[in-house]
Amino acid sequence: MPASPSTARAINDRLALRLLQQEGPLTAGQLKQLTGLSRPTVADLVERLTVSGLIEVAGESGEQRRGPNAKLYGIVADRAHLAALDVRTDSVAVLVSDLLGRVLAEASVPIGDDTGTGPAVERAVGLVERAAKEAGAVRLHTVGIGAPGLIDPAVGELRDSTGLPEWHRRLLAALRETFPGARVDVENETNLAALAEQRDGAARDRETFVLLWLGLGIGAAIVLDGTLRRGVSGGAGEIGFLPVPGTSGLPSATDCDGGFHSLAGAAAVAALAADHGLAAPGEEPEPERHAAALVRDAARRCGTDPVAARFLDALADRVALGAAAVVSVLDPGCVVLAGEVGRAGADALATRVQHRLTRMSPLATEVRAGTLGGGAVLRGALLTARDRAQDDLFAPRER
């Protein structure tokens, strides 16, 4: 059935707004060319979007030719402000951006193990408030949070998980109370990293891939046919619990010790390096950064240092065990090694893991090093917040 006039207008408006987001300011003539719409239709939508406060004149084009210059139209970036959070067990990082995703303020704060639940929540909320003030945001439209653990798909909140601090679960409600009217959503950190690597990183050309997060903990994110798959309970990719050979026991429902985590988590990587007589250059007391420093240094020296090469070989043996299990079930064609350790290993580690997968599996799989590192979580949270805010603001309104 043909679209009604109001539906057609909504489709045209959204198309124009997406083009302005992707391309930056455009003239009415450029919008006509890119959309294929008629000149009167483009003139109508430009007027409509200007009156609604979604676009504005952002300058002029055609300064090199004779005649009147054409007006450039762009999205009103400060129509909405967004916040993205990366919530770790020992810290919180936040950034605040405009509707186009341009970062206006960034900050982070450590939260020690001895910090109580209430003070930890207050510290995290205070961090967001200060960042929003620095960015000049009167209010926040959307807040995206990346955190470790399982997200209950029924209610969109963190499930109670052994080993994760209670303040993580309390933070969601506290932010909603502090920023009334804002949409506050939480997503598993590894899933957000996959979205970021797909949009801006190592998986830009892949509709199907698995991201293997190598950091303090171990996780995987599954993207099939361009869609992130979370599983029935939100636990797809909890690969740290995967039973693998080479551990001293088996994982349990409440503890991933004995699973793949025990072979490839940050503590296991550091212990493996120590077994090879390797030490990180400089002092890195935080376990994830310490493990990443060890792997980075080995990757840099493996071409000339046999010990560093043997360490990377041994680490690749371990990583390939978990990767092979995922590949045999999903056949994703591509595995991205992400997280601080995955990024630190770079091509030296990725190439070694791919060679081992080639021997272990008949399924052709390319292994790539992630390009965004630990910053992928914050980037994914921002991208998600921006998409949801634009979905709301760009949606057709009742007339």
Side-chain angles (χ1 to χ4, degrees):
M1 294 179 62
S4 67
S6 61
T7 300
R9 285 194 297 268
I11 292 172
N12 293 340
D13 289 356
R14 196 160 184 125
L15 174 59
L17 287 164
R18 289 301 181 195
L19 284 170
L20 290 170
Q21 174 200 316
Q22 296 166 7
E23 305 293 335
L26 298 169
T27 65
Q30 289 170 327
L31 281 171
K32 174 183 179 298
Q33 181 180 8
L34 291 170
T35 61
L37 300 172
S38 68
R39 190 178 301 277
T41 299
V42 170
D44 181 48
L45 75 82
V46 165
E47 180 181 4
R48 189 165 54 247
L49 293 175
T50 302
V51 170
S52 69
L54 285 172
I55 69 172
E56 62 185 353
V57 176
E60 293 184 341
S61 178
E63 296 175 356
Q64 306 301 320
R65 62 174 175 79
R66 294 180 179 180
N69 295 332
K71 294 178 180 178
L72 282 167
Y73 296 94
I75 292 175
V76 180
D78 61 0
R79 175 67 184 272
H81 288 94
L82 323 169
L85 282 75
D86 181 2
V87 178
R88 305 291 179 100
T89 57
D90 60 353
S91 66
V92 175
V94 63
L95 61 79
V96 177
S97 82
D98 61 21
L99 184 58
L100 292 175
R102 293 187 295 231
V103 177
L104 305 174
E106 293 183 84
S108 62
V109 64
I111 298 180
D113 293 339
D114 56 348
T115 307
T117 297
V121 170
E122 291 177 5
R123 190 174 298 178
V125 171
L127 181 74
V128 181
E129 289 179 309
R130 292 190 297 275
K133 182 177 180 180
E134 180 184 341
V138 176
R139 60 180 295 271
L140 293 177
H141 182 282
T142 306
V143 179
I145 306 170
L150 299 178
I151 311 299
D152 188 334
V155 295
E157 296 185 3
L158 278 168
R159 290 169 51 182
D160 189 10
S161 301
T162 302
L164 294 176
E166 174 64 22
W167 64 266
H168 281 195
R169 297 180 65 241
R170 301 276 186 90
L171 180 58
L172 197 66
L175 288 170
R176 287 171 176 162
E177 181 178 347
T178 304
F179 301 100
R183 174 174 179 171
V184 182
D185 296 315
V186 63
E187 178 61 271
N188 174 267
E189 59 179 356
T190 306
N191 287 343
L192 289 178
L195 293 176
E197 291 284 2
Q198 182 184 35
R199 193 84 64 90
D200 296 331
R204 281 188 296 254
D205 60 339
R206 289 285 182 168
E207 287 291 302
T208 295
F209 70 99
V210 167
L211 179 137
L212 187 58
W213 182 270
L214 304 175
L216 182 64
I218 298 294
I222 302 163
V223 178
L224 302 178
D225 299 324
T227 301
L228 179 68
R229 304 296 180 177
R230 297 176 176 84
V232 173
S233 64
E238 286 295 320
I239 198 172
F241 287 86
L242 179 74
V244 291
T247 65
S248 59
L250 291 173
S252 70
T254 59
D255 191 347
C256 59
D257 284 346
F260 185 44
H261 170 83
S262 294
L263 285 186
V269 172
L272 181 65
D275 290 343
H276 284 77
L278 299 178
E283 292 296 325
E284 286 286 359
E286 198 278 323
E288 184 177 41
R289 288 194 292 268
H290 176 61
L294 289 162
V295 174
R296 186 179 302 107
D297 186 58
R300 180 178 58 83
R301 296 188 294 110
C302 64
T304 57
D305 186 340
V307 175
R310 285 195 294 271
F311 163 64
L312 285 182
D313 287 340
L315 179 58
D317 288 340
R318 295 183 175 195
V319 173
L321 288 175
V326 173
V327 167
S328 66
V329 174
L330 298 175
D331 187 18
C334 179
V335 172
V336 175
L337 303 184
E340 293 294 354
V341 172
R343 185 189 184 195
D347 291 339
L349 179 61
T351 299
R352 284 169 164 81
V353 174
Q354 181 167 337
H355 287 165
R356 284 152 179 78
L357 286 180
T358 299
R359 295 198 303 266
M360 297 168 67
S361 172
L363 308 177
T365 306
E366 182 180 4
V367 180
R368 301 177 178 178
T371 60
L372 302 177
V377 177
L378 205 55
R379 180 64 182 163
L382 174 60
L383 290 169
T384 301
R386 189 188 73 184
D387 288 349
R388 288 170 178 168
Q390 291 181 352
D391 284 344
D392 174 50
L393 294 171
F394 294 176
R397 305 300 178 186
E398 294 294 332
R399 292 179 171 86

